[in-house]
Amino acid sequence: MEGLAVQLPRFLPLPLPKHAVPFPTSSSTSTGFISLKKLHLSPRRRFPFCTPSSHSQPQAEQLTVPAAAVSGDSIRQRFLDFYASRGHKVLPSASLVPDDPTVLLTIAGMLQFKPIFLGKLPRQVPRATTAQRCIRTNDINNVGQTSRHHTFFEMLGNFSFGDYFKTQAIQWAWDLSTIEFALPPERLWISVYQHDDETFQFWSQQIGVPVKRIKRLGEDDNFWTSGATGPCGPCSEIYYDFHPDRGYDDVDLNDDTRFIEFYNLVFMQYNKKDDGSLEPLKQMNIDTGLGLERMARILQKVPNNYETDLILPIIEKASELANVSYGISDDQTKRYLKIVGDHMRAIVFLISDGVVPSNVGRGYVVRRLIRRVVRTSRLLGIKGDGRGDLEGAFLPIIAEKVVELSTHIDADVKNRAPRILEELKREELRFVQTLERGEKLLEEKLADAISSAERNGTVPCLAGEDVFILYDTYGFPMEITKEVAEERGVSIDMNGFDIEMEKQRRQSQAAHNTVNLAIGSGTSIADNVPDTEFIGYDSLYCKAIIASLVEDKLEIMVFYIFQRGTVHKGVVEVGKEVEATVNVKLRQRAQVHHTATHLLQAALKKVIGQETSQAGSLVAFDRLRFDFNFHRPLLDSELVEIEVLINGWVEDAILLQTKVMPIAEAKREGAIAMFGEKYGEEVRVVDVPGVSMELCGGTHVSNTSEIRGFKIISEQGIASGVRRIEAVAGEAFIEYVNARDSYLKQLCSTLKVKPEEVTARIENLLEELRAARNENSAVRAKAAVYKASVIASRAFLVGNSKQYRILVECLDEVDAESLKSAAEYLMETLADPAAIVLGSCPGEGKVSLVAAFTPGVVDQGIQAGKFIGQIAKLCGGGGGGRPNFAQAGGRKPENLAAALEKAKSELIANLSEKGK
C-alpha cells in the first residue's frame, strides 16, 4: 500500500503520553514513533536555550586576575565571564549521556549544538559559551603515559551560530589568552590550514604574530570534518611554548616535550558533498574548544595536567591509601597514580549522570574504567580499603575527594554522592572476586603451558591471546601476569598480546571518537513541514492536511513525531483534509498509568530513599514500567508499603495542577527533572500537591481518584544497580484483579479446596512430590550401583608392573546423579591405584560423563577435572571438578562412544608411561 504523512494545523489533539512509545535510532525511513521525551516541555515548541542577551561589543577589557588566584575553578569562570561580557549566553554543560544516537558519550563541547549546526533547529541565541564535561576512551592507554591525555576533561567553548566568524573569533581568542590570562605573546605559536590565506594574514598582519611562529599544516591537522560528508571547515590552533630557548629551526608543533595545543578554533564554513567537493554553507558557524586542564597546567606552571589543582588532590588521596609519596615516587608509580586520578573523575561523573556499570555500551565504559583503577591500585599496594579493613573498598574513599572537587563542575554530584559511593563499593567488591578468579585461571594457563612445553621439548610460553583474556575479561594486569610467569620460567607472547590490544583499540576508536554531523543524515519529510502546537491536553479532535506520502507507511507529523496508520478504504492525496481524533478510552488508560508513574516515583523515594532516581520508564495502555537506580531487590514489606502509599493517595482524591513556569523557578520549588531530558526556558510542571512535582509534557488524570487502584505486578533487576517495577492501574488494575480471581477459582475447583486452603494444599502436594522424587532417585541410584557391580570385573591393568586399574564404560541411559553414585561405588570397590571413566545418554541431546581417580593415580599428576573436561569437548560440552572426582556434560550423544575410546587410550598411554 501507499502511506502518507499529514501536516497538522497549529492546534492538534493527538495523544502523546510522555513515556508511551519508542523513538527510531536510525534514519527517517525507519518505521516508528519518536518519544515525547525528545520534546521541550512547553505548550509551544521552544529551543532549550535562554533568551538571548545583548551581544554588543564591550567598552573596556576586564582586569587581569593576579596569577596567585589562578585555580582551575577560576579559569573556568573567567572564560565564561569573558565571553558572557561579549554577548554570549552562558549555557550549562550537557550530560555525559548525549541525546544523539550517533555517539556513545559526549565527546566534544559542540555536541549539544549539533542540530543547530545542521540547520535542523533554529538558533535561539546568536552566540553561546559553555564549560562542557567530556569523556573519551580511544586513547585510554596513553593516560598517565603522556602529560595531557585524559578520559575525562572539560572543554571550554565559545560558539557562533551564523553571527560572528573568523576575525572576531581569532581576536577574542588572542585577547583571552594574552590579556585575560596574561600569557606571554612571544610564547604563543599558531597553526592554520595550509590553504587558508585569510586566517594566516589576519594572525600575522592584524594580531601581529611573527610569521616564523605561524605554521601551515595539512588537512589531517587543520581541516575539521564531521564525517565523509557534511559541515566542515579549516581550523586554527593556539600552542603554548614551554621551551622558547630551543629556537625556531625544525620546529614540530606535535612535540609534547615543548608544546601544548590549548585552543582550537573551527571555522565551519563548507558542506562537503558526496563527490568530495565543497560548497559554502548558508550559515557559517564558529565552534571552539579550550582544554581547561591544559590551561590550568600552563597558568599553574606545573609539568603536566595531572599536577594541577583539578586532579592532584585525587592523586594525593590515592597516594595516602597506597602509603607512598607522589612527589618522590618513580615514574611507574606516578603513572599508576595518574591513572587513578584521571579515571576516578570519569567514573564519578559518569555514574552521577546515570551510567550504571554493565557489560554493554556506556555501562561497559564505566565498568572498564573501574576495573582499571582497581587493578592499578593493587599494583600500588592498596589492599582492602587501604585503612586496615581487607574486606572493605577503597574506591568510595577516593571518590569522596572527586565529589568534593565537583561543586563548580556539576553541583548535582554532591546530591547524588550516596548513590555514587554505594555503586562504587558494590562494583569494586564484585570485581575483586573476579580478579581472584583471574589468578586461578592464570595458574591453570601456566600449568598448561609448562605441560605442553614438556611434551614438545620446547620453551614454555603463555599465548598472547590468553594474556589478553586475563587482562580484558578478568581485569588481570599484564604486568602481574608477566611477573608471575617469569617466576615459573614461562615467557609471554607479547606480540600476540599487542595484536589483541590493537584490535580492541581500533574498535574503541571507531565506537567512541566520531561525531556524525553529515547533512542529510537522518533527514525526513518533517524537515520541510511546519511545526504544530500540541493541544491534546484540552481537545481530542481536529482537522489536518496531508503533507506528503511515504511509501509503505501512513505517517501524521506533529513536532517531528509521526503517527502511523493504515488506509482501509478510499484514496489519499497530498493536500486533502482529514480528521484526526484520539481514542478516548486508550487516552484515559495512558493518563492513568502516567500519573501512577509519578506517584510510584514519589513512593519509592519515601520508602527506599531520596537518592533513588528514574532510569527509564514506559507508559502503556495495559501497564506501566518504571526503572530506577537501586542496589538490591526490594523486600516484600517495602513493596506492600509502596502500594499502600499510592492507593492512599488515590483514595485522597487529590486534584492535579499543571502550570508552565521558568525552569529556574520550577527547580526552586522542588520539581523533579527527568535525567537526560532537554528543557527550554519555560517548562510544564505536573504537580500532585503534597506528593509529587515533576517536569512533564505528557497527559495526566485531573484527579488521583481516576486511578481507582494500583497493583505492583513484578519487581526485578535488569542491570547492575538498576531495578524494574511493572504495575497496573485504572481499568488495567480491574482487569488484572478479575483475571487473578478467575485463576484462583479454577485452582480451587481443581484442588477441591476453599481459597484460604490453597496454600496449605499446594505445600502438601509439593512435599509428596519431593518424597516421590527422592524415592525414585534412590531406586535409580541402586540400579546404577548394581550395573557398576556387574562391570567392575571389566577393569584391566596397565604399566610394567600391571599396577594401574582402568575402567571406561558406558551405562546407557543412567542419569548424572546415578552415574556419580556408580563411580563412587567403583572407587570403593577397585583397589588403589584405579582410574574410572563412565558415560551415559540420560536423554535426547544429553551426555553425562564422570571421572573418578584414586589417590595413586592423582599422585601421578593426572587430574580428573582437567581430564574429563577435555573428553567432554568431544561431545560438544565441558565440565570439571576436583583432582580425584569430576563430572561433565555434552550435547552430542552420537560422539559418546568415540569420546570414551579417547578417554581409554589416553589413560592407557599416561599410566603406562608412569608405570615404567
Side-chain angles (χ1 to χ4, degrees):
M1 69 166 229
E2 290 291 323
L4 73 161
V6 180
Q7 178 183 345
L8 300 173
R10 183 178 178 191
F11 300 101
L12 178 69
L14 291 183
L16 294 173
K18 177 178 173 186
H19 311 287
V21 284
F23 60 93
T25 56
S26 57
S27 69
S28 63
T29 57
S30 300
T31 301
F33 301 124
I34 301 177
S35 167
L36 184 59
K37 291 194 294 182
K38 305 285 285 185
L39 299 182
H40 310 303
L41 307 181
S42 168
R44 290 175 294 175
R45 179 171 175 78
R46 294 181 180 272
F47 189 77
F49 294 161
C50 301
T51 303
S53 61
S54 169
H55 55 278
S56 58
Q57 299 302 314
Q59 300 301 311
E61 295 293 348
Q62 295 175 308
L63 294 175
T64 301
V65 177
V70 182
S71 67
D73 288 337
S74 73
I75 294 170
R76 183 192 305 107
Q77 192 59 51
R78 287 165 64 185
F79 179 95
L80 296 174
D81 290 345
F82 178 91
Y83 281 103
S85 70
R86 288 154 178 79
H88 293 66
K89 189 65 182 179
V90 179
L91 299 174
S93 170
S95 167
L96 289 173
V97 179
D99 188 17
D100 186 323
T102 68
V103 287
L104 196 64
L105 295 163
T106 298
I107 62 174
M110 50 68 60
L111 196 61
Q112 65 170 302
F113 305 117
K114 174 179 171 180
I116 306 174
F117 289 143
L118 289 175
K120 292 186 174 181
L121 285 179
R123 71 177 193 183
Q124 293 297 301
V125 292
R127 51 183 78 168
T129 183
T130 64
Q132 176 63 54
R133 307 187 302 275
C134 300
I135 291 281
R136 292 183 188 173
T137 59
N138 54 298
D139 289 321
I140 189 172
N141 292 314
N142 286 326
V143 172
Q145 296 277 22
T146 70
S147 63
R148 60 182 176 83
H149 281 97
H150 301 290
T151 55
F152 175 89
F153 59 94
E154 288 187 79
M155 190 62 74
L156 310 179
N158 56 286
F159 307 90
S160 168
F161 312 111
D163 187 17
Y164 63 85
F165 199 50
K166 284 185 182 180
T167 58
Q168 191 65 78
I170 292 171
Q171 184 66 60
W172 281 339
W174 184 257
D175 292 346
L176 176 78
S177 302
T178 61
I179 300 176
E180 175 63 31
F181 291 134
L183 298 182
E186 65 274 10
R187 287 202 174 208
L188 302 185
W189 289 63
I190 309 297
S191 70
V192 300
Y193 179 50
Q194 59 189 359
H195 301 308
D196 189 358
D197 295 332
E198 178 187 3
T199 299
F200 185 95
Q201 290 172 5
F202 191 84
W203 277 115
S204 61
Q205 297 177 14
Q206 301 299 316
I207 301 299
V209 178
V211 172
K212 60 184 177 182
R213 293 211 311 273
I214 306 176
K215 292 290 184 181
R216 291 181 183 266
L217 299 178
E219 189 169 329
D220 290 342
D221 294 299
N222 277 69
F223 193 90
W224 182 86
T225 60
S226 62
T229 62
C232 59
C235 61
S236 182
E237 298 167 323
I238 307 178
Y239 293 76
Y240 185 82
D241 186 356
F242 292 106
H243 294 285
D245 53 285
R246 296 182 185 175
Y248 300 94
D249 297 332
D250 300 322
V251 168
D252 179 8
L253 292 178
N254 291 318
D255 180 1
D256 283 349
T257 66
R258 176 173 179 178
F259 297 103
I260 187 169
E261 176 253 307
F262 65 88
Y263 209 163
N264 184 17
L265 316 176
V266 176
F267 311 128
M268 199 182 296
Q269 63 187 99
Y270 300 113
N271 173 40
K272 180 182 276 189
K273 302 170 69 176
D274 290 334
D275 60 4
S277 61
L278 302 177
E279 63 178 4
L281 289 173
K282 294 180 180 179
Q283 174 179 294
M284 294 188 289
N285 308 300
I286 288 294
D287 162 24
T288 80
L290 182 148
L292 174 60
E293 292 78 9
R294 298 184 182 194
M295 181 58 79
R297 171 192 174 186
I298 296 169
L299 295 179
Q300 295 175 15
K301 297 181 171 58
V302 292
N304 56 69
N305 296 4
Y306 299 94
E307 296 183 27
T308 67
D309 68 339
L310 297 167
I311 306 177
L312 188 59
I314 308 168
I315 290 176
E316 289 174 338
K317 176 57 68 174
S319 301
E320 174 191 320
L321 296 178
N323 197 27
V324 299
S325 173
Y326 175 82
I328 61 174
S329 295
D330 56 38
D331 289 344
Q332 185 73 296
T333 300
K334 284 185 175 180
R335 184 172 76 85
Y336 291 153
L337 289 168
K338 289 174 183 176
I339 290 172
V340 174
D342 169 86
H343 287 10
M344 284 305 298
R345 292 211 301 166
I347 291 165
V348 167
F349 283 98
L350 280 168
I351 295 177
S352 176
D353 276 358
V355 181
V356 179
S358 69
N359 289 328
V360 295
R362 302 178 184 103
Y364 178 71
V365 172
V366 72
R367 172 162 285 173
R368 183 184 177 200
L369 292 172
I370 288 173
R371 291 184 169 187
R372 202 161 191 257
V373 171
V374 172
R375 67 178 183 243
T376 300
S377 298
R378 287 171 74 98
L379 291 174
L380 287 168
I382 299 178
K383 301 293 184 182
D385 67 354
R387 295 175 175 176
D389 182 2
L390 296 181
E391 302 298 322
F394 70 89
L395 289 182
I397 299 173
I398 302 178
E400 287 175 350
K401 178 59 67 175
V402 182
V403 172
E404 180 185 321
L405 297 172
S406 69
T407 302
H408 299 289
I409 304 173
D410 180 4
D412 288 333
V413 173
K414 283 193 174 181
N415 298 329
R416 299 165 182 159
R419 174 171 60 85
I420 296 170
L421 300 181
E422 184 62 31
E423 189 66 55
L424 285 172
K425 177 183 177 181
R426 190 165 52 252
E427 185 70 13
E428 178 186 344
L429 295 181
R430 181 188 297 118
F431 176 56
V432 166
Q433 297 175 349
T434 302
L435 202 57
E436 291 171 352
R437 289 198 296 270
E439 291 172 343
K440 295 178 181 178
L441 178 62
L442 172 59
E443 185 60 33
E444 291 180 7
K445 295 295 184 183
L446 290 174
D448 289 343
I450 293 171
S451 176
S452 176
E454 288 176 350
R455 289 196 302 269
N456 300 322
T458 59
V459 177
C461 179
L462 199 60
E465 184 178 358
D466 289 337
V467 178
F468 182 77
I469 290 173
L470 285 162
Y471 167 80
D472 192 56
T473 304
Y474 293 90
F476 209 79
M478 186 275 293
E479 294 89 345
I480 290 183
T481 300
K482 186 176 181 181
E483 180 181 338
V484 174
E486 288 176 350
E487 291 175 355
R488 300 285 300 276
V490 179
S491 63
I492 287 180
D493 174 19
M494 285 304 301
N495 184 54
F497 177 80
D498 291 339
I499 290 173
E500 296 299 323
M501 283 292 292
E502 179 62 19
K503 287 180 183 177
Q504 187 198 60
R505 188 194 68 79
R506 286 198 300 267
Q507 292 169 353
S508 177
Q509 199 166 34
H512 301 308
N513 201 34
T514 302
V515 180
N516 184 356
L517 273 179
I519 288 182
S521 173
T523 57
S524 70
I525 61 170
D527 294 339
N528 300 313
V529 177
D531 294 332
T532 56
E533 181 177 355
F534 177 69
I535 64 168
Y537 300 125
D538 306 308
S539 178
L540 302 178
Y541 166 85
C542 77
K543 293 184 178 180
I545 303 297
I546 298 174
S548 60
L549 296 173
V550 181
E551 185 178 1
D552 294 332
K553 290 183 294 183
L554 168 64
E555 296 186 332
I556 300 178
M557 198 289 294
V558 55
F559 294 125
Y560 298 134
I561 292 181
F562 292 85
Q563 302 291 333
R564 287 186 300 179
T566 303
V567 179
H568 292 290
K569 63 181 180 179
V571 178
V572 293
E573 297 176 354
V574 172
K576 274 197 171 183
E577 186 178 80
V578 295
E579 294 181 350
T581 62
V582 172
N583 185 311
V584 177
K585 288 188 176 180
L586 292 181
R587 164 63 68 83
Q588 177 65 16
R589 281 174 167 259
Q591 288 179 160
V592 163
H593 281 134
H594 200 165
T595 305
T597 300
H598 284 214
L599 300 184
L600 174 57
Q601 177 160 222
L604 280 167
K605 288 181 177 293
K606 280 183 174 291
V607 174
I608 63 176
Q610 289 295 322
E611 68 277 5
T612 188
S613 60
Q614 179 177 346
S617 68
L618 169 72
V619 172
F621 305 124
D622 61 336
R623 74 193 191 285
L624 68 87
R625 187 178 72 210
F626 188 79
D627 300 339
F628 57 100
N629 297 303
F630 202 57
H631 60 278
R632 62 166 174 81
L634 269 63
L635 304 175
D636 289 342
S637 60
E638 291 171 329
L639 294 174
V640 170
E641 186 177 355
I642 289 169
E643 288 182 344
V644 170
L645 272 172
I646 295 174
N647 284 311
W649 293 328
V650 171
E651 184 180 356
D652 291 340
I654 304 170
L655 189 66
L656 272 70
Q657 300 175 6
T658 59
K659 50 190 173 182
V660 176
M661 63 175 67
I663 188 169
E665 180 183 344
K667 288 185 176 180
R668 281 196 303 271
E669 292 189 10
I672 297 175
M674 193 169 70
F675 171 75
E677 187 64 83
K678 300 287 186 180
Y679 297 103
E681 271 190 11
E682 290 189 335
V683 292
R684 182 171 181 265
V685 177
V686 176
D687 184 16
V688 185
V691 178
S692 164
M693 181 185 290
E694 293 190 36
L695 308 186
C696 181
T699 57
H700 287 267
V701 300
S702 59
N703 190 295
T704 59
S705 62
E706 296 175 39
I707 296 175
R708 301 169 70 182
F710 175 91
K711 181 66 180 176
I712 293 175
I713 299 174
S714 65
E715 190 276 338
Q716 60 183 330
I718 60 170
S720 176
V722 180
R723 310 294 301 176
R724 170 173 291 173
I725 284 179
E726 292 200 359
V728 289
E731 191 66 27
F733 165 78
I734 303 299
E735 293 170 353
Y736 177 84
V737 171
N738 288 339
R740 292 303 180 273
D741 183 61
S742 175
Y743 299 150
L744 181 59
K745 288 178 179 178
Q746 293 177 25
L747 188 60
C748 290
S749 175
T750 301
L751 297 176
K752 295 181 171 50
V753 295
K754 297 177 181 179
E756 60 270 22
E757 298 171 348
V758 167
T759 301
R761 179 60 178 143
I762 290 177
E763 287 178 349
N764 289 336
L765 288 174
L766 289 175
E767 184 58 37
E768 292 173 7
L769 180 60
R770 279 192 292 268
R773 284 177 174 173
N774 290 337
E775 184 178 348
N776 190 27
S777 295
V779 171
R780 289 198 303 267
K782 287 181 181 179
V785 169
Y786 175 75
K787 291 182 179 180
S789 66
V790 173
I791 65 172
S793 60
R794 300 177 190 172
F796 57 92
L797 300 172
V798 297
N800 283 349
S801 302
K802 303 293 184 181
Q803 71 270 40
Y804 295 104
R805 287 177 174 78
I806 295 176
L807 180 61
V808 179
E809 291 289 335
C810 177
L811 294 186
D812 300 325
E813 299 178 355
V814 173
D815 64 271
E817 193 62 29
S818 299
L819 200 66
K820 176 185 175 183
S821 298
E824 289 171 342
Y825 168 81
L826 290 168
M827 282 185 73
E828 295 175 358
T829 302
L830 299 178
D832 185 28
I836 303 151
V837 175
L838 302 178
S840 69
C841 298
E844 185 177 351
K846 292 183 179 180
V847 172
S848 290
L849 291 163
V850 63
F853 297 166
T854 62
V857 173
V858 176
D859 289 344
Q860 299 304 314
I862 305 176
Q863 298 187 358
K866 290 185 178 181
F867 184 87
I868 203 65
Q870 294 299 317
I871 299 301
K873 287 181 180 179
L874 300 176
C875 296
R882 303 188 306 274
N884 67 320
F885 198 95
Q887 290 181 278
R891 303 180 304 277
K892 299 179 178 179
E894 65 273 15
N895 294 348
L896 177 59
L900 291 176
E901 191 61 36
K902 175 72 171 177
K904 182 186 294 185
S905 61
E906 289 201 2
L907 286 174
I908 292 172
N910 287 331
L911 292 176
S912 295
E913 179 67 24
K914 300 292 183 182
K916 287 183 180 179

